[in-house]
Amino acid sequence: MTGRPGRTGRGASQASAGDLLELVRSGRATTRGALQQVTGLSRATVGHRLDRLFRAGWLREGAGGPVDSPQGGRPSITLEFDDAHAVVVAADLDTRHARAAVLSLTGEILAEHSGTPRLEDGPEAVLGELGRWFAELVEKTGRRAEEVCGIGLAVPGPVDSESGRVVQPPIMPGWDGYDIRSRLAGAFTERTGAPAVPVLVDNDANLMAYGEQRTAHPDCSAFVLVKVSTGIGAGVVVNGSVYRGVDGGAGDIGHIRVPAGADLLCRCGSYGCLAAVASGGAVARRLAEAGVPAASGSDVRDLLASGHPEAAALAREAGRQVGDVLATVVTLLNPGVLMIAGDLAGTPFLTGVRELLYQRALPRSTGHLDVVTSRLGERAGLVGAGALVVEHLYAPERVEDRLLALGV
């Protein structure tokens, strides 16, 4: 989880310790001399602010770098973000299963667990179970619970990022408006005895997109990920940041109306949604009607992995339906990468997407477009959730408050 490109544009008297940390994390300035040049701060001021970061344990000295002065001299000491001083815990919820992990501050998964809590059991039970998982995972890594600096959670529904509450989620009965942050923070504290830590919640497709873009496509300035599992959702990353819309509803393409679904009732209560026609749940329903045992997107995934011909044919047709909608998405956003992820993200579905996408979208929109599948697989949401926490906690505007709380 490397830092985002530095945004420091303040005057010399305003560049804070947080600004210096971001410059180091982003790689824009990794020596004392470079920090002076970028910020205009004096050597003494840079030294004072770096000292606070060293005392917090957030920076360390690395190997000698290039000589700062054109006159020569000793190599300058490089500065590095010390990712060992804390860890993050994260979870990714789906309708019938979940994954949780402890991650380093640079995104390495240190311990992981998966299980089958069901969203329909409600937030009290599910989040309580996650608290237990988190405690066991932290113990497994050999880290202290007090070293956890934050919790990230991916959920399959629209999220108001300000409150962390899901808003009218079609496939999360009983979760609408629930205070996820307080319950999950409390569950972690109850299980570990550690102080409460910040909890960040976001839509699963958003966090999958964030994790994939940062890991595999960091130079892509417009990135779209489409998750096709029980439902269908999309995450959009523009210039390194998740685009959420005004209240967290961006990317909800599963509820775009399509002609093929005019007579099909979606779980949201409307007729004709793309999810009712082309999601993993929709394909499972059609397979079940044909006598093939399938109840969810994960069942379809297993059938596709075994080479089931009818599942492959239906997945390809679902891909065509999604590709037709994505032609509009691609024309509107002009992304450099379109990634297909989720239970249906295999060759039959991808083939169907490409057939309709390239047929319907303008060549200008697809000329520099890469259509790919997930690199991180089932870990994408975990990596994205961890990255969201790190970027939140080490953002320049929060660093000062955190340093003061540490007494440095």
Side-chain angles (χ1 to χ4, degrees):
M1 300 174 194
T2 56
R4 290 171 293 178
R7 298 166 299 178
T8 303
R10 311 187 197 191
S13 63
Q14 294 179 311
S16 66
D19 293 319
L20 300 190
L21 181 64
E22 180 163 354
L23 287 168
V24 173
R25 291 185 63 229
S26 67
R28 287 184 60 203
T30 57
T31 67
R32 288 169 173 81
L35 289 170
Q36 289 175 239
Q37 292 173 8
V38 171
T39 64
L41 294 174
S42 69
R43 179 177 179 178
T45 302
V46 167
H48 171 70
R49 292 177 184 174
L50 289 179
D51 180 62
R52 299 178 69 201
L53 297 172
F54 278 112
R55 284 188 284 144
W58 298 355
L59 281 186
R60 65 187 173 205
E61 291 186 341
V67 176
D68 278 345
S69 170
Q71 281 74 44
R74 291 183 300 176
S76 55
I77 299 299
T78 59
L79 304 171
E80 300 174 351
F81 180 60
D82 190 343
D83 65 326
H85 71 271
V87 292
V88 172
V89 293
D92 184 3
L93 294 179
D94 210 333
T95 52
R96 294 174 180 266
H97 65 275
R99 303 178 75 86
V102 178
L103 301 95
S104 74
L105 299 183
T106 51
E108 177 187 359
I109 292 182
L110 306 177
E112 187 176 6
H113 178 74
S114 62
T116 56
R118 306 195 313 169
L119 288 180
E120 63 190 37
D121 292 337
E124 283 285 328
V126 172
L127 298 176
E129 180 74 352
L130 288 184
R132 182 176 69 82
W133 289 9
F134 289 159
E136 293 174 354
L137 286 168
V138 172
E139 183 177 1
K140 185 177 179 181
T141 66
R143 305 296 291 258
R144 294 179 298 109
E146 291 76 13
E147 295 178 79
V148 174
C149 63
I151 298 171
L153 180 64
V155 297
V159 176
D160 175 23
S161 59
E162 291 298 318
S163 68
R165 300 172 189 248
V166 291
V167 181
Q168 300 177 358
I171 59 175
M172 299 179 70
W175 290 71
D176 185 21
Y178 184 83
D179 189 358
I180 293 174
R181 288 177 176 171
S182 294
R183 174 62 178 133
L184 191 52
F188 178 73
T189 296
E190 289 164 12
R191 291 288 184 173
T192 64
V197 295
V199 176
L200 274 70
V201 186
D202 206 339
N203 171 262
D204 56 355
N206 284 347
L207 293 180
M208 290 173 69
Y210 196 45
E212 294 277 9
Q213 188 270 338
R214 291 167 64 85
T215 301
H217 303 277
D219 297 327
C220 180
S221 61
F223 178 94
V224 175
L225 177 143
V226 178
K227 179 188 178 185
V228 186
S229 291
T230 300
I232 301 176
V236 180
V237 180
V238 177
N239 293 329
S241 297
V242 176
Y243 178 74
R244 298 181 177 88
V246 296
D247 60 4
D252 203 3
I253 66 169
H255 301 286
I256 292 175
R257 306 293 176 83
V258 294
D263 298 326
L264 295 175
L265 179 64
C266 180
R267 294 181 69 171
C268 73
S270 298
Y271 285 87
C273 294
L274 179 65
V277 176
S279 65
V283 173
R285 184 190 69 247
R286 293 183 65 183
L287 286 168
E289 290 170 353
V292 180
S296 66
S298 59
D299 292 335
V300 178
R301 178 191 62 206
D302 294 341
L303 289 167
L304 291 171
S306 68
H308 193 283
E310 191 161 1
L314 289 174
R316 181 169 179 170
E317 177 55 33
R320 288 172 58 85
Q321 295 290 340
V322 174
D324 198 6
V325 170
L326 289 178
T328 300
V329 173
V330 166
T331 301
L332 178 65
L333 297 179
N334 189 209
V337 175
L338 171 62
M339 178 174 285
I340 306 299
D343 292 329
L344 267 60
T347 299
F349 186 86
L350 193 64
T351 298
V353 168
R354 285 175 167 152
E355 285 177 4
L356 263 290
L357 173 63
Y358 287 106
Q359 177 183 330
R360 299 291 172 83
L362 292 172
R364 174 69 181 81
S365 301
T366 58
H368 297 93
L369 175 68
D370 290 329
V371 182
V372 301
T373 53
S374 171
R375 290 278 296 274
L376 296 174
E378 293 183 335
R379 291 178 163 179
L382 295 175
V383 173
L388 186 73
V389 171
V390 172
E391 292 304 323
H392 173 81
L393 292 178
Y394 295 93
E397 60 270 23
R398 293 183 186 88
V399 164
E400 184 64 28
D401 288 342
R402 295 186 66 210
L403 289 174
L404 290 173
L406 291 171
V408 298

